[in-house]
Structures are given as C-alpha cells and as structure tokens.
Amino acid sequence: MLDFLTQPAGFDIGETGLLLYDAAQPLWRAMLVGLGNTLRVSLPALLMAVAIGLTVALGRTSRVAGWRVMAGIYVDIIRNTPLLLQLLMWYFLLIEWLPDSTQALAVLPGIWLSKGGLAFPWLAPADDGGAWAWSWPQQDTFNIVGGAAVTPEYLALALALSLYTGAFLAEVIRGGIEAVPASLMEAAETLGATRWQQITRVLLPQALRTIVPAATNQFLNLIKNSSLAVAVGYPDLVSVGNTALNQTGRVTECVLVMMSVYLFMSLLTAAFMNWFNARHAVKGPV
C-alpha cells in the first residue's frame, strides 16, 4: 500500500532546513523534509505564542487601564478574524512593504530584514574545515551574504500562528490568573514581596494548575493550523504531500500518511502536556 513512498520523488523542495534532499531521492524523504519544515515553524511559533499570551494576559489583568484596553483590543481583533486572512495579510505585507535585498533593513546588529526574508547569525564550519564559528550576515552588492536566513513565507506563517494562538492563550492565562484567590497576592504583598515576585513566585505557579489543560488545546490547534502554510507556498508536510499525490496519483494513501503524521504529533503533544500537568499537580510548581 505504501510502496510508492520508495519511488523517486521527482520534484524539488524550496526549503529543506537541515535535511539534505534532491529530486532523485524517494518520496518518503520528501515527506520527511515536509515534516521537518512543519516542526521548524511550529515549535518557534509555539514558544512565541506562549510569550505573547503571557504578556497580553498580564496586560489584561494590569492595574493600568491603558494596558488593559490595548490588550483587550488585540485579543478582540485577532480572535474574531480568520487565521487564513491574517496569514495572507502578513505575507503580502512582507513581500510588498519590505525593501529589496539590496536595501535590507538592519533590525539589530547582524540581523537583516528584506523581501528575501530574515537573515541572522548562525554557526557554520570554517572555510578550511576547522572548528565551527558564528557566521554573521553582511550586506553585499546584490544580496545578504553569510549567516542563515528564513523566507518571507516562513516569517508570515510563524507570525500568523504565534499572534493568533497567543490571543487565545492570553484568555486562557487570564482565566487562570483570575482563578487565583486575591488573598494569596495580598499575603505576598504583606510579606514585602515585590510585584515581580508576586507574579513569578505566587500568581503564575498557582494559576498553572488551571492554565495547562486549556492551553494544551491551543498547542494542538497551532500544530494543526500550520497546515495553512500551503496558502503562502511554504513547503510544509501538507504542501509536499499535495505535490506527492499529484505526482503519483495515490491520493488516498498520501492523505492517510499526512493524517497519520498529524495524529502522531497531536497525540505526542497531548501526552507530554498531560505528563507535565500530572507532575505539576502532584509535586507542585516546577
């Protein structure tokens, strides 16, 4: 049934990440590259979504009215517009508003942003084959050379996933924060704890018991929503799978392979979060 996966792929993939690939390699290798690209965008987006969700949730529960208003506007806008439209918006903003590679923006020292994507420092082997060292991107006559880079498609997908999931996580975290009895924060303040200590030592560890189960659903949604990458041409698992089924005509088998991989990733994520939740519930904050 799956013997077609050993046939030569016969197509190239624009982004291969850290995996070596060419069109003469078997289809299973192409699918593996697609899976790697899915993980390469999903994991950083998940971390960014957590950071965004925590920041916005603290803004929603802030004592400063301005922070509450701005956080509320962000949550309302992001949660009430389709993710696909947000993804397309970020993609078109990146490819239309950013300058060409010949006039890239220096975001930070060694970090360049242009229509060609985001270039940043990265470890690379020395020219003489010696020890690895940091390679820093530099502006050349026609392009950015050195370092590593991610494409506008990758950036658009990562931004859309992290901002969209972050808005939902913000409400999950806000609910967990508001479930913590106010008397605990008052007791910490009475003992002389600073606001930062109250949040990190009292509020968040207690809120985590409520946050983790609901946040698991958002993590699963982020992984599954990464399949929208096909809309902007990022070669994730679904994009590579679509090309494979068009090449081979094995529609049912290719779809089953993709569904099985997403199912495995979702079950693995859920199992890890359930383990983390059980460990936290038994042993307390970690």
Side-chain angles (χ1 to χ4, degrees), residues 44 195 199:
R195 182 63 179 171
I199 293 173

Side-chain angles (χ1 to χ4, degrees), residues 61-264:
T61 57
S62 173
R63 298 171 180 174
V64 181
W67 288 114
R68 294 198 302 271
V69 171
M70 287 190 293
I73 291 173
Y74 162 77
V75 169
D76 289 340
I77 291 176
I78 298 298
R79 292 183 66 191
N80 291 291
T81 53
L83 174 57
L84 179 58
L85 292 181
Q86 295 180 37
L87 172 58
L88 293 175
M89 179 197 71
W90 283 113
Y91 179 64
F92 290 124
L93 285 177
L94 289 172
I95 64 174
E96 290 187 10
W97 285 18
L98 290 177
D100 294 330
S101 299
T102 56
Q103 299 175 324
L105 296 173
V107 181
L108 291 171
I111 299 179
W112 300 83
L113 183 62
S114 67
K115 289 182 179 179
L118 181 70
F120 49 89
W122 196 254
L123 285 172
D127 295 336
D128 58 359
W132 286 52
W134 286 100
S135 174
W136 287 75
Q138 295 180 350
Q139 178 74 68
D140 198 6
T141 305
F142 302 106
N143 208 339
I144 303 295
V145 296
V150 291
T151 62
E153 292 80 10
Y154 177 96
L155 287 177
L157 183 61
L159 283 171
L161 288 174
S162 57
L163 290 171
Y164 185 79
T165 308
F168 286 89
L169 283 175
E171 290 299 277
V172 170
I173 297 172
R174 181 178 67 87
I177 289 174
E178 293 180 346
V180 176
S183 58
L184 292 179
M185 295 292 286
E186 293 171 357
E189 186 174 6
T190 302
L191 293 173
T194 64
R195 182 63 179 171
W196 176 254
Q197 290 174 329
Q198 294 173 34
I199 293 173
T200 57
R201 302 289 183 85
V202 179
L203 184 61
L204 292 180
Q206 292 296 323
L208 209 58
R209 301 172 186 272
T210 306
I211 292 171
V212 171
T216 301
N217 292 331
Q218 300 306 322
F219 295 162
L220 296 175
N221 287 337
L222 186 148
I223 294 173
K224 291 180 288 186
N225 287 337
S226 67
S227 61
L228 292 175
V230 68
V232 294
Y234 178 72
D236 74 323
L237 177 63
V238 173
S239 179
V240 173
N242 284 340
T243 305
L245 66 87
N246 288 327
Q247 290 280 100
T248 62
R250 308 288 286 270
V251 177
T252 303
E253 291 88 340
C254 287
V255 171
L256 283 175
V257 169
M258 290 186 284
M259 290 179 61
S260 300
V261 173
Y262 276 103
L263 177 62
F264 176 76

Side-chain angles (χ1 to χ4, degrees), residues 4-26:
F4 73 98
L5 292 175
T6 60
Q7 301 174 4
F11 58 88
D12 292 321
I13 300 176
E15 295 183 57
T16 59
L18 299 177
L19 296 175
L20 298 177
Y21 169 81
D22 62 69
Q25 291 184 322

